[in-house]
Amino acid sequence: MPRMTMIEAIRDAHMVAMERDDDVVVFGEDVGYFGGVFRCTQGLQERFGRERCFDSPISECGIVGTAIGMAAYGLRPCVEIQFADYVYPAYDQIVSEAARIRHRSAGDFTCPLTIRMPTGGGIFGGQTHSQSPEALFTHVSGLKVVVPSNPIDAKGLLIASIEDDNPVIFLEPKRLYNGPFDGHHDKPIIPWSKHPLGDVQAGHFTEPLGKAVVRREGSAVTVLAYGTMVYVAEAAAEESGIDAEVIDLRTLLPVDLDAITKSVRKTGRCVVVHEATLTSGFGAELSALVQEHCFYHLEAPVRRVTGWDTPYPHAQEWTYFPGPARIGAALAEVMEG
Amino acid sequence: MADHSPLRLNVPEPEVRPGGKPDFSNVKIPKAGSVDRPPVDVPPEDIRDMAYSIIRVLNRKGEAVGPWAGTLTNEEVLSGLRDMMRVRAFDRRMLTAQRQGKTSFYMQCLGEEAIACAFRKAMEDGDMNFPTYRQQGLLIAGGYPMVDMMCQIYSNTRDPNKGRQLPVMYSSKKFGFFSISGNLATQFPQAVGWAMASAIKNDTRIAAAWIGDGSTAESDFHAGLVFASTYKAPVVLNIVNNQWAISTFQGIARGGSGTFAARGHGFGIPSLRVDGNDYLAVHAVARWAIERARRNLGPVLIEHVTYRAAAHSTSDDPSAYRPKEESDAWPLGDPVERLKNHLVAVGEWSPERHKQAEAEIDAEVLAAQKEAEAFGTLHSGPKASPRDIFEDVYDKMPPHLRRQRQEAGY
């Protein structure tokens, strides 16, 4: 099986989807000739031509707005927002339009659109290259929200997103582009070539949207995570010696409630982790779901370990980023409860 | 550096407010027939003056004159007159229905009927409009059933939108009418994207974008122009300048630019200005722009100069911000009257036949209304099922929506 980084897997997913369906078009800032600032679309223009993969003006509302029009025509656009931190100019188009066109027209028009955007911190990206805005999308009816954590999922979930008939927000943790990251920023980086999830099947395959995966089986406490935090949670479990079950949600909307309840009813405890800020973050929704559906199984209050309610800092990155030590402390705390 | 007087903010004001005498002396109206008709492949830079003039066909005597005249047969013009009369009768009836409490809301296009009706006749089936809420003429002139429009307005059991949308937010893929959104200007770049898709697929269909004068201030307007310009998308970008954005006069959106059409110049887009109350001129300009787009010569911007004769909506009272007599003073007159006079002048029509047509159309609209009301109105009779609000959020209902639907009792 070919070894791929997450970048190569995303690129390969584009290749497969574009090869299979002439209606798939790819565009965004710097994605054409140059192949993207993270190289995720490298080679697509050369292979499929300028009409299938092209550079766009620097206008996020224009990128998403035109993509919606293309989807209404019958294409399957897969567009890139260079950083999730820059999606806000397109927010009106995403929330008021892409998410609602099917509903408001009673299915007369649809919006099979994928919007990719690098997300998350851990790279000294400061305020505007580190944000995790997933909660701004999980609050919007009509969207699907996907966050892969490894090359296999990145490819399988991206192909599934492009083939899905609904608008999908596809958040790519850029800290994971070249290798997994467990929050130990002082240790050398392990590349995907040395990780089993870097073994990516060639050709077409999909991973289902709306399905979580158990990354580490455990019996003491359930950790709900996605993106980079999956590895941080795994590290926290190993280092704390607490037998945590780590669930990689993969899709945040619609979320896999069955997988969550199954695990929490087994362990009786739950810690939710994400990089995004705490207040009204997606963790609040997860915590509420666990409380509603697993109340009589809970042995301790649900804990959330998240970014602080501040803009993402530069110099103080490792104080902000919820690393394995903070998660470990939370695991220990819920075990006392 | 001394001697600078304090800076002052410029806040434009209309010439007249309620109680004042309407004054349109600053609106320069060129004579009908006086603007040239360039070939469709003219370079944009050769026709920059056209963004500052107004293309007009019908003169004061009702004659069709100049190089833009003659795009329609008399029979087609008669049918156009009937389309406009239908739109007006429809508006009048739905306004009354709203006042009678049969629906929550309505928006007329009184005085702007020529624009959508004539433009639609220059399009071909398969082309796609991205309209605002004031282009009902596109549907009526396109042959969309009035009963279906009314069912949408009543949110009843036959509402094609299943009661989910505010009245007038129609949608019909089949009739080339994209689903209307309450969020202004969003459809402008969407139209450009639809046109880009048509070009990507080597199709021959074109798109038409629609926006009002006020909404040109939205960032989506600028995004639409950039993308249309960059990719030479086969799209006609229509600005309907009816002078008013609710209570805000067009000077607030236009600022120091000479005209809205002139905004196209910075994008290298050929930009025309047309008498929006002149059915024949709108049709001729639409045909020119559509032909240019269809020949892959790129986008065209059209500013339709008109006047919003009625209130902004049924929730608005224009006497609070503009003189009551202002629409009577509007120098481009009334589109229905002008086309009627033209047909009378060429011997194809008479005041008696016009009266008779009015009666026929009123009866037609009334019959449609009766049929629509048989399927219910907003507050009486059957309506769309509450169960339906959970459908079409996604292609397939996800588990959380199924749970919520059950919780709601459906």
Side-chain angles (χ1 to χ4, degrees):
Chain A
M1 278 207 275
R3 287 274 174 179
M4 291 185 197
T5 66
M6 203 146 142
I7 289 166
E8 289 162 341
I10 289 162
R11 200 187 293 157
D12 197 44
H14 281 98
M15 291 276 183
V16 169
M18 292 175 86
E19 195 70 62
R20 275 170 70 96
D21 186 349
D22 288 343
D23 290 338
V24 177
V25 293
V26 174
F27 63 102
E29 297 156 19
D30 303 295
V31 311
Y33 182 84
F34 180 56
V37 295
F38 290 105
R39 325 307 295 148
C40 288
T41 55
Q42 195 178 22
L44 297 182
Q45 187 174 83
E46 208 180 345
R47 179 146 159 207
F48 296 100
R50 284 201 303 259
E51 292 197 341
R52 299 275 311 277
C53 176
F54 51 90
D55 291 318
S56 79
I58 303 176
S59 167
E60 287 77 14
C61 77
I63 292 168
V64 177
T66 53
I68 290 168
M70 290 180 196
Y73 175 93
L75 299 189
R76 274 183 194 278
C78 177
V79 299
E80 179 180 297
I81 302 294
Q82 202 158 77
F83 287 88
D85 316 61
Y86 301 132
V87 73
Y88 309 119
Y91 199 58
D92 188 29
Q93 286 286 351
I94 295 171
V95 176
S96 314
E97 303 292 320
R100 302 213 183 122
I101 282 168
R102 178 190 294 274
H103 192 256
R104 76 172 192 233
S105 71
D108 193 22
F109 291 94
T110 59
C111 190
L113 161 67
T114 303
I115 307 173
R116 293 178 40 244
M117 56 192 98
T119 187
I123 56 145
F124 282 99
Q127 289 201 2
T128 56
H129 298 77
S130 307
Q131 296 168 32
S132 298
E134 61 270 13
L136 296 176
F137 299 110
T138 54
H139 192 56
V140 180
S141 334
L143 296 180
K144 292 190 177 181
V145 180
V146 176
V147 190
S149 67
N150 59 75
I152 293 175
D153 281 359
K155 181 175 171 183
L157 290 169
L158 182 54
I159 294 174
S161 298
I162 293 171
E163 291 176 354
D164 196 275
D165 283 335
N166 304 287
V168 180
I169 305 295
F170 196 85
L171 293 153
E172 301 166 2
K174 56 190 163 299
R175 177 69 225 213
L176 302 180
Y177 270 157
N178 291 304
F181 176 65
D182 63 7
H184 287 294
H185 50 94
D186 43 356
K187 288 188 189 158
I189 294 161
I190 305 156
W192 281 117
S193 59
K194 301 227 165 72
H195 194 283
L197 292 169
D199 268 337
V200 183
Q201 187 187 322
H204 181 269
F205 74 94
T206 58
E207 291 290 332
L209 304 188
K211 289 277 174 243
V213 166
V214 177
R215 293 288 174 210
R216 182 192 192 282
E217 289 204 20
S219 57
V221 49
T222 299
V223 181
L224 302 179
Y226 48 92
T228 307
M229 299 315 290
V230 169
Y231 304 97
V232 185
E234 283 177 340
E238 300 305 327
E239 289 159 22
S240 66
I242 296 167
D243 189 23
E245 179 147 295
V246 177
I247 295 186
D248 179 356
L249 293 171
R250 305 203 296 180
T251 302
L252 309 189
L253 182 67
V255 77
D256 189 349
L257 183 63
D258 290 342
I260 294 169
T261 51
K262 191 177 160 208
S263 177
V264 177
R265 284 175 186 174
K266 179 178 81 176
T267 62
R269 292 177 167 84
C270 183
V271 172
V272 176
V273 298
H274 57 59
E275 287 180 60
T277 50
L278 176 73
T279 302
S280 301
F282 189 60
E285 179 64 26
L286 291 172
S287 175
L289 284 172
V290 168
Q291 187 272 136
E292 283 167 22
H293 294 273
C294 309
F295 184 77
Y296 295 105
H297 295 77
L298 283 175
E299 309 280 345
V302 178
R303 268 294 312 258
R304 288 179 285 164
V305 184
T306 71
W308 308 117
D309 280 342
T310 69
Y312 202 108
H314 185 240
Q316 307 87 340
E317 172 134 61
W318 304 117
T319 304
Y320 180 93
F321 187 92
R326 274 177 60 199
I327 296 174
L331 292 176
E333 198 183 304
V334 295
M335 290 316 293
E336 284 164 19
Chain B
M1 296 288 277
D3 296 334
H4 289 295
S5 51
L7 295 165
R8 295 182 61 192
L9 183 71
N10 172 56
V11 181
E13 260 295 302
E15 305 267 332
V16 206
R17 285 296 191 185
K21 193 170 163 359
D23 178 12
F24 286 110
S25 55
N26 63 343
V27 182
K28 277 185 236 149
I29 311 287
K31 277 176 73 170
S34 65
V35 177
D36 281 348
R37 185 182 185 284
V40 290
D41 58 355
V42 65
E45 59 272 21
D46 289 1
I47 56 165
R48 291 172 69 86
D49 288 356
M50 295 184 82
Y52 298 95
S53 191
I54 300 180
I55 297 164
R56 306 179 65 230
V57 169
L58 289 170
N59 68 16
R60 281 174 188 219
K61 290 186 230 159
E63 297 158 337
V65 296
W68 294 88
T71 56
L72 292 165
T73 64
N74 283 338
E75 201 176 315
E76 288 167 331
V77 177
L78 263 172
S79 144
L81 177 67
R82 281 181 175 274
D83 287 339
M84 289 199 288
M85 291 168 75
R86 234 175 238 120
V87 171
R88 189 165 290 186
F90 183 93
D91 274 358
R92 198 165 47 229
R93 220 154 243 298
M94 289 299 101
L95 179 70
T96 306
Q98 190 276 339
R99 297 296 189 229
Q100 291 168 334
K102 290 175 180 174
T103 189
S104 59
F105 181 74
Y106 191 68
M107 301 179 101
Q108 303 177 80
C109 69
L110 189 67
E112 303 174 36
E113 295 91 344
I115 299 162
C117 288
F119 194 93
R120 179 63 186 81
K121 291 297 190 190
M123 300 181 91
E124 285 176 16
D125 289 344
D127 293 340
M128 184 63 74
N129 283 289
F130 286 76
T132 77
Y133 46 68
R134 227 186 286 281
Q135 273 83 51
Q136 50 265 58
L138 292 172
L139 284 174
I140 288 179
Y144 186 80
M146 280 192 287
V147 177
D148 289 4
M149 294 172 78
M150 289 167 170
C151 289
Q152 195 283 331
I153 290 163
Y154 290 141
S155 288
N156 65 17
T157 53
R158 221 182 93 179
D159 173 4
N161 295 349
K162 301 190 176 177
R164 294 172 188 157
Q165 278 257 62
L166 265 183
V168 314
M169 305 289 187
Y170 314 107
S171 171
S172 177
K173 193 176 194 171
K174 193 175 155 205
F175 285 80
F177 193 94
F178 185 71
S179 158
I180 295 179
S181 167
N183 296 64
L184 298 177
T186 50
Q187 77 288 348
F188 215 68
Q190 290 166 5
V192 176
W194 195 98
M196 288 167 69
S198 186
I200 288 168
K201 299 306 279 185
N202 308 126
D203 198 346
T204 58
R205 295 181 286 161
I206 62 99
W210 295 88
I211 202 165
D213 46 289
S215 300
T216 60
E218 293 278 8
S219 54
D220 279 354
F221 172 71
H222 299 263
L225 291 179
V226 174
F227 278 69
S229 159
T230 298
Y231 302 107
K232 291 200 184 310
V235 60
V236 181
L237 304 156
N238 293 289
I239 303 170
V240 179
N241 175 9
N242 68 12
Q243 316 299 317
W244 291 95
I246 309 187
S247 73
T248 310
F249 93 115
Q250 49 120 7
I252 292 287
R254 182 167 53 78
S257 100
T259 64
F260 289 103
R263 299 266 198 230
H265 285 164
F267 297 89
I269 296 173
S271 304
L272 314 180
R273 224 161 157 248
V274 62
D275 177 346
N277 292 14
D278 179 340
Y279 184 96
L280 301 182
V282 171
H283 182 268
V285 169
R287 176 171 280 185
W288 188 93
I290 289 168
E291 190 185 341
R292 188 176 168 102
R294 215 182 298 282
R295 282 197 192 177
N296 207 37
L297 296 164
V300 178
L301 180 71
I302 303 174
E303 176 186 344
H304 303 263
V305 183
T306 185
Y307 184 85
R308 195 196 78 211
H312 164 71
S313 72
T314 48
S315 310
D316 175 48
D317 172 17
S319 69
Y321 51 81
R322 68 183 192 189
K324 274 187 177 144
E325 316 76 24
E326 197 175 83
S327 76
D328 297 333
W330 175 242
L332 296 175
D334 176 90
V336 175
E337 283 302 304
R338 285 176 63 192
L339 198 63
K340 171 187 149 191
N341 293 342
H342 164 68
L343 283 163
V344 172
V346 297
E348 291 285 332
W349 202 233
S350 68
E352 295 72 37
R353 285 170 72 183
H354 191 79
K355 227 179 169 97
Q356 190 189 339
E358 265 179 344
E360 283 163 17
I361 286 167
D362 275 343
E364 186 192 340
V365 175
L366 182 63
Q369 188 182 14
K370 280 194 171 146
E371 189 183 340
E373 289 180 6
F375 298 97
T377 62
L378 182 62
H379 299 299
S380 72
K383 55 168 74 80
S385 165
R387 185 188 164 90
D388 273 338
I389 65 171
F390 299 96
E391 301 282 349
D392 297 326
V393 181
Y394 297 90
D395 62 334
K396 293 184 200 78
M397 195 179 295
H400 68 287
L401 283 182
R402 233 179 3 254
R403 281 196 302 275
Q404 290 171 33
R405 190 188 69 194
Q406 283 158 6
E407 193 181 328
Y410 301 94

